[in-house]
Amino acid sequence: MHSSVISDAHPAPLTFDVIIAGCGPTGALLAAELRLHGVRVLVLEKDTEPASFVRIVGLHIRSLEQLAMRGLLDRLLEHGRRRPAAGFFAAIDKPVPEGLDSAHAFLLGIQQPVIVRLLEEHAISLGAQVRRDSAVAGIEQDADGVTVELSGGERLRARYLVGCDGARSTVRKLLGVGFPGEPARTETLMGEMRVGAPQEEIVAKVAEISATTRQFWLRPFGEGAYQVVVPAAGVSPDRTEPPTLEDFRQQLRAVAGTDFGVHSPRWLSRFGDATRLAEHYRVGRVLLAGDAAHIHPPIGGQGLNLGLQDAFNLGWKLAAQVRGWAPDALLDTYEAERRPVAADVLDNTRAQLTLQSTEPGPRAVRRLLTELMDLNEVNRRLIGKIAAIDLRYDLGSGPDLGSGPDLVGRRLRDLDVQEGRLYELLRGGRGLLLDRTGRLTVGGWSDRVDHVADPAVALDAPCLLLRPDGYVAWVGDDQRELDAHLSRWFGAPAS
């Protein structure tokens, strides 16, 4: 079966609206977003059990904000640890910049299996179905839907398929979508464990080795644990097998002459510096999201966040398509908006990797950037880039955008409103008109867009229209302009 061919073969009965391949964070969150709109969703996961390795990941500011919009953040906060929103870019140690402008201006360190479990439970509570031990083996699309063949021969049918199945995505390969970029040149071990050596010895040795090896550090990680990073050269090349504590000891002795008495690991992993971006995020009725669409080194901790934000962007648009009210071009805006964001992330990870080099040129640039980051504006810009709070979608230009174009395409921070907090009003995944004039109406779009009239809300604009993912679609006070933008994003009004 090959998805790029429109088939006249007899398809399986249409059972689901959307099938999602992969129940990682991106797939689970996308399933939940679709269920907010009553879309029939099946999530297929090839593994029989959830991943057992305990890897700590970081949720950045924009991900925290969007999870807060759906009422999920408090549950995650119970299981994570807050850390300052600083020191992300190329691991250059600088304080938290002023002006982050968010109620969630911190990094949340949390175990990845916990995120997956909570998001999967959330999706199931909303009515999504999850099937494990179900690997996609073939896909075939036609004018009405997609037939998915599982490795056991079973055939399933849906209107759309989304590949959230990781860097080695089967869906992407079956689609024949190119994945150009740079292959991995170096491999690195990363883990979290306890260390037996005195702190003074660790600090001195790290300072000595860091002068010539950027792929090496031991950093305190709280509760007596250290994050350990060391080159993987010499370790088994089979990346399907996780590294062992003995691998870390061996590599630490090879690089530092001592293993620092490491013991009691919390999690162990390995990663390469491959950097790739899918040529397309959509082919007909099949779409890609998360690592299936983009991969890059973990420096800056952006990967998981990038996938979650893909899901937030795609969920309401795909639901609109399924429910029949999407404007003609709405689903195409997913790739148009998210692929440039991924390209920018790939570029900033390339830059950060260059700044980790021990060659004289990159070291000189690193010293210069370290000095420039003493300027709050520079530090703020780099942290804002990684935390995705400075992202601006290109929604076009011209007077039709309204009177406040600087806001259009940008996120809106959480605000106090008469009903409570702004983000609480977005929990249903609907659009929102925030109206300080009290003169506007959402009219025939009230089944898709909520209206809050609040003259006291702290806005530098008379009114604005928010998309379900929390980005500003229009600013102004003219009803005709508003109606045009309601049609642009939310389709024709109900009769």
Side-chain angles (χ1 to χ4, degrees):
M1 305 175 77
H2 193 282
S3 66
S4 63
V5 177
I6 303 300
S7 171
D8 293 324
H10 298 293
L14 188 63
T15 310
F16 300 97
D17 294 317
V18 178
I19 292 175
I20 298 171
C23 195
T26 302
L29 182 59
L30 177 60
E33 289 293 287
L34 292 167
R35 283 301 305 157
L36 288 176
H37 302 275
V39 174
R40 296 172 299 168
V41 180
L42 173 66
V43 185
L44 301 174
E45 173 53 55
K46 62 181 177 61
D47 294 333
T48 56
E49 299 291 338
S52 59
F53 65 89
V54 182
R55 180 180 179 185
I56 305 295
V57 294
L59 292 176
H60 285 301
I61 298 171
R62 187 54 182 160
S63 295
L64 297 174
E65 290 180 338
Q66 291 190 310
L67 291 165
M69 290 176 195
R70 300 298 186 258
L72 294 168
L73 183 55
D74 287 344
R75 276 182 258 177
L76 290 167
L77 290 176
E78 293 174 6
H79 298 276
R81 188 164 67 247
R82 301 187 192 202
R83 299 193 179 94
F88 306 146
F89 195 86
I92 295 174
D93 187 16
K94 295 293 178 182
V96 178
E98 298 175 4
L100 288 177
D101 190 31
S102 174
H104 310 291
F106 55 88
L107 176 77
L108 185 69
I110 190 169
Q111 296 178 1
Q112 183 162 336
V114 171
I115 298 176
V116 174
R117 175 175 60 81
L118 292 176
L119 292 179
E120 182 178 342
E121 289 174 354
H122 175 57
I124 291 172
S125 74
L126 292 173
Q129 297 182 44
V130 177
R131 284 182 52 176
R132 294 194 170 273
D133 196 19
S134 299
V136 173
I139 55 179
E140 194 172 77
Q141 61 175 315
D142 53 47
D144 300 313
V146 184
T147 300
V148 179
E149 183 176 310
L150 305 185
S151 55
E154 183 180 1
R155 290 161 64 91
L156 302 170
R157 181 81 169 157
R159 295 176 67 182
Y160 292 90
L161 168 68
V162 186
C164 301
D165 48 345
R168 298 179 177 86
S169 171
T170 298
V171 172
R172 186 188 66 242
K173 292 172 183 174
L174 290 170
L175 270 180
V177 170
F179 204 37
E182 303 94 57
R185 290 160 293 186
T186 60
E187 295 259 326
T188 305
L189 302 183
M190 177 184 286
E192 195 175 311
M193 61 202 74
R194 294 188 178 274
V195 177
Q199 185 176 7
E200 309 79 53
E201 177 186 338
I202 296 171
V203 170
K205 185 60 76 170
V206 169
E208 173 192 337
I209 296 171
S210 294
T212 56
T213 305
R214 288 285 180 200
Q215 280 178 274
F216 177 88
W217 68 70
L218 284 81
R219 292 177 180 158
F221 217 62
E223 302 174 4
Y226 276 72
Q227 186 182 75
V228 178
V229 170
V230 67
V235 176
S236 167
D238 185 0
R239 294 196 65 215
T240 62
E241 292 295 322
T244 65
L245 182 61
E246 184 53 40
D247 289 331
F248 277 80
R249 288 172 173 155
Q250 169 189 313
Q251 294 305 103
L252 286 168
R253 289 193 294 266
V255 174
T258 173
D259 62 15
F260 299 99
V262 294
H263 65 95
S264 305
R266 291 179 177 175
W267 58 272
L268 305 172
S269 68
R270 64 189 293 167
F271 63 88
D273 59 353
T275 304
R276 297 185 181 277
L277 179 61
E279 291 180 335
H280 301 288
Y281 279 24
R282 179 188 178 193
V283 177
R285 292 179 173 269
V286 185
L287 301 103
L288 302 172
D291 287 353
H294 42 71
I295 59 169
H296 56 86
I299 187 167
Q302 298 167 90
L304 183 144
N305 294 271
L306 193 58
L308 293 178
Q309 291 158 32
D310 285 347
F312 268 103
N313 187 286
L314 174 60
W316 70 278
K317 297 173 180 177
L318 185 54
Q321 193 76 22
V322 169
R323 303 296 292 178
W325 56 259
D328 289 344
L330 182 64
L331 195 53
D332 289 332
T333 68
Y334 166 61
E335 176 174 329
E337 292 176 358
R338 292 303 299 170
R339 194 171 181 276
V341 172
D344 185 70
V345 169
L346 266 60
D347 274 352
N348 81 55
T349 55
R350 289 182 179 108
Q352 291 179 76
L353 278 178
T354 299
L355 292 168
Q356 298 276 27
S357 169
T358 56
E359 293 297 315
R363 288 178 66 184
V365 176
R366 184 182 180 90
R367 288 192 295 269
L368 176 60
L369 185 60
T370 301
E371 180 181 334
L372 289 173
M373 286 178 70
D374 287 333
L375 299 172
N376 185 74
E377 184 179 348
V378 176
N379 190 15
R380 163 66 181 78
R381 178 65 178 269
L382 293 174
I383 295 300
K385 180 181 286 290
I386 288 183
I389 55 174
D390 289 346
L391 187 159
R392 183 180 188 181
Y393 291 131
D394 181 4
L395 305 188
S397 60
D400 61 314
L401 287 176
S403 58
D406 285 347
L407 283 172
V408 173
R410 297 190 186 277
R411 60 181 269 280
L412 191 64
R413 68 187 186 282
D414 201 6
L415 299 170
D416 285 315
V417 292
Q418 288 179 349
E419 287 80 359
R421 298 289 294 177
L422 173 66
Y423 285 2
E424 293 172 355
L425 303 180
L426 295 169
R427 290 192 176 177
R430 293 159 56 88
L432 177 67
L433 173 64
L434 201 53
D435 178 6
R436 295 180 63 205
T437 69
R439 300 194 308 268
L440 301 183
T441 175
V442 295
W445 293 273
S446 60
D447 59 332
R448 287 153 267 173
V449 181
D450 295 320
H451 180 197
V452 173
D454 184 352
V457 67
L459 272 181
D460 294 328
C463 309
L464 58 78
L465 178 64
L466 276 180
R467 305 189 324 186
D469 56 355
Y471 286 88
V472 178
W474 169 82
V475 173
D477 58 5
D478 183 87
Q479 184 69 53
R480 287 174 298 179
E481 277 188 5
L482 171 60
D483 288 350
H485 282 77
L486 286 166
S487 294
R488 177 183 180 184
W489 294 108
F490 299 98
S495 58

